[in-house]
Amino acid sequence: MEKIILKDSAYGIKKGTILGIQEMTENEKLFEIALEGGQKLDHEPGQFVMVSVFGAGEIPISVSSSPTNNGSFEICVRAAGKVTNALHKLEIGDMIGIRGPYGKGFPIRILERNDLLIIACGLGIAPLRSLIRYVFDNRKDFGNVHILYGCRSPDNMLFLDEIKEWKKQKDVYFECIVDQATPDWTGKVGIITTLIPGVRIDPERTFTALVGPPAMYKPAIQELLSMNVPESQILISLERHMKCGVGMCGHCQIQNLYCCQDGPVFNYEAIKHLKEAF
Ligand SMILES: Cc1cc2nc3c(=O)[nH]c(=O)nc-3n(C[C@H](O)[C@H](O)[C@H](O)COP(=O)(O)OP(=O)(O)OC[C@H]3O[C@@H](n4cnc5c(N)ncnc54)[C@H](O)[C@@H]3O)c2cc1C
Ligand code: FES
């Protein structure tokens, strides 16, 4: 049998130290992590890392900070099960394992000089915040920027302080919506797709970045297509169960594609024929 030789760079786990923990909601925490020896993560917005919590397991998590950050990076993690709950119990100074960054993120060089329509639903804001912060740090390289953010209720809203700043940006159109209002909520109520027709875009020069629960994709894509956004300019991040993160175990396979390597960010034109993708 042919022997498989793994490159250090593919499976090498780097040590990461937790520098900061911010409780964002009841279920989500933002972790700031520094790699051993001051190494830079060197990721693209939309890529993910494999995070090991020693004694609990390893999971894929999107990088939530911009590559323009120096010295550390951030991940926003929802407590969902064994590993994420164990991660939530860690404290500042604790060590975790990091592999990656892995996968294909948002194609920054292609997005530059174009307009962006960023649509985030729920935890989908975690990878998109990396893109948003990158764009804000390099604002002159991008055209018009529209951001739509939807979540279950105002209590579930992530990155609240930053959102206040995004809203103040003169050259950014920002709208948010919640499924269920709380008594103090004065904003819009409904599903995120209802915001899409209200955005004024030039479809030929607009790239849309869409991340959220699978149920949102079909109706959102329909809205975008009806506004004449080309299929190749609709970018979607798909979530699949992952084990290796590097195209070896087949856990994340969608027909001939490995979500961990060919994605997680895909353009709609490339995957529209894959029923399982949605
Ligand atoms: C590319 C990628 C990026 C991700 N980015 C983030 C992120 O930024 N923040 C974050 O909180 N989570 C993210 N996730 C989801 C995260 O990996 C899962 O929540 C985690 O693996 C659950 O592990 P656990 O041991 O805590 O839960 P488990 O005990 O393994 O499972 C708890 C529940 O979560 C479900 N689950 C497990 N893995 C996944 C998965 N990959 N997708 C959907 N549901 C899953 C299980 O079916 C089960 O219902 C990402 C997943 C992928 C594939
Ligand atoms: S997670 Fe193993 S092949 Fe993608």
Side-chain angles (χ1 to χ4, degrees):
M1 197 175 130
E2 198 183 329
K3 196 173 165 195
I4 296 170
I5 299 170
L6 298 176
K7 285 188 206 154
D8 279 356
S9 57
Y11 263 107
I13 296 191
K14 298 166 202 142
K15 283 185 196 154
T17 304
I18 299 177
L19 294 187
I21 303 175
Q22 196 185 325
E23 239 167 85
M24 310 211 82
T25 67
E26 239 181 18
N27 296 316
E28 281 102 5
K29 287 186 181 180
L30 186 71
F31 295 86
E32 184 189 357
I33 298 155
L35 292 178
E36 194 179 26
Q39 292 175 71
K40 205 167 184 284
L41 183 66
D42 238 351
H43 68 287
E44 295 163 4
Q47 282 191 303
F48 67 95
V49 284
M50 296 298 294
V51 177
S52 302
V53 181
F54 304 119
E58 191 185 42
I59 49 167
I61 297 288
S62 306
V63 182
S64 216
S65 50
S66 165
T68 42
N69 274 25
N70 279 325
S72 65
F73 67 96
E74 290 166 320
I75 53 174
C76 175
V77 182
R78 174 176 293 169
K82 189 179 168 211
V83 183
T84 47
N85 278 315
L87 185 59
H88 270 233
K89 288 193 184 116
L90 296 184
E91 294 175 357
I92 290 174
D94 283 342
M95 200 82 90
I96 54 176
I98 300 290
R99 290 196 289 124
Y102 292 137
K104 291 204 172 70
F106 297 101
I108 291 291
R109 295 285 93 85
I110 296 174
L111 303 187
E112 280 171 353
R113 290 180 300 281
N114 285 293
D115 296 343
L116 296 179
L117 169 55
I118 295 171
I119 306 175
C121 197
L123 198 51
I125 193 80
L128 286 173
R129 184 224 187 201
S130 174
L131 177 65
I132 292 168
R133 295 200 54 147
Y134 180 87
V135 170
F136 286 177
D137 287 344
N138 298 276
R139 189 64 192 89
K140 65 176 183 352
D141 297 337
F142 298 87
N144 295 328
V145 176
H146 310 268
I147 303 171
L148 306 180
Y149 177 35
C151 50
R152 233 177 318 135
S153 84
D155 301 333
N156 299 120
M157 205 167 272
L158 296 163
F159 303 108
L160 263 181
D161 291 345
E162 282 174 46
I163 284 174
K164 284 181 195 145
E165 295 304 312
W166 300 351
K167 279 181 178 169
K168 282 187 207 155
Q169 300 253 351
K170 284 199 189 86
D171 55 357
V172 173
Y173 173 90
F174 179 90
E175 279 251 48
C176 60
I177 192 162
V178 297
D179 292 344
Q180 288 163 356
T182 45
D184 56 340
W185 177 254
T186 54
K188 295 197 168 163
V189 180
I191 51 172
I192 190 159
T193 43
T194 59
L195 295 181
I196 299 174
V199 187
R200 292 168 68 92
I201 55 165
D202 172 354
E204 284 305 315
R205 52 164 296 156
T206 299
F207 278 77
T208 62
L210 207 59
V211 191
M216 161 189 121
Y217 286 143
K218 268 193 183 167
I221 290 166
Q222 278 317 314
E223 290 290 352
L224 295 169
L225 293 175
S226 71
M227 291 162 84
N228 297 321
V229 178
E231 290 176 345
S232 61
Q233 293 174 202
I234 300 176
L235 307 168
I236 308 154
S237 183
L238 295 182
E239 222 180 80
R240 285 294 180 277
H241 286 259
M242 290 183 184
K243 284 280 174 225
C244 70
V246 291
M248 305 216 33
C249 71
H251 268 82
C252 67
Q253 200 167 352
I254 311 171
Q255 289 191 23
N256 59 332
L257 296 175
Y258 287 124
C259 197
C260 65
Q261 282 206 311
D262 302 305
V265 176
F266 294 93
N267 79 58
Y268 178 62
E269 189 179 39
I271 55 166
K272 65 176 182 182
H273 61 288
L274 302 174
K275 265 195 198 152
E276 307 92 312
F278 303 97

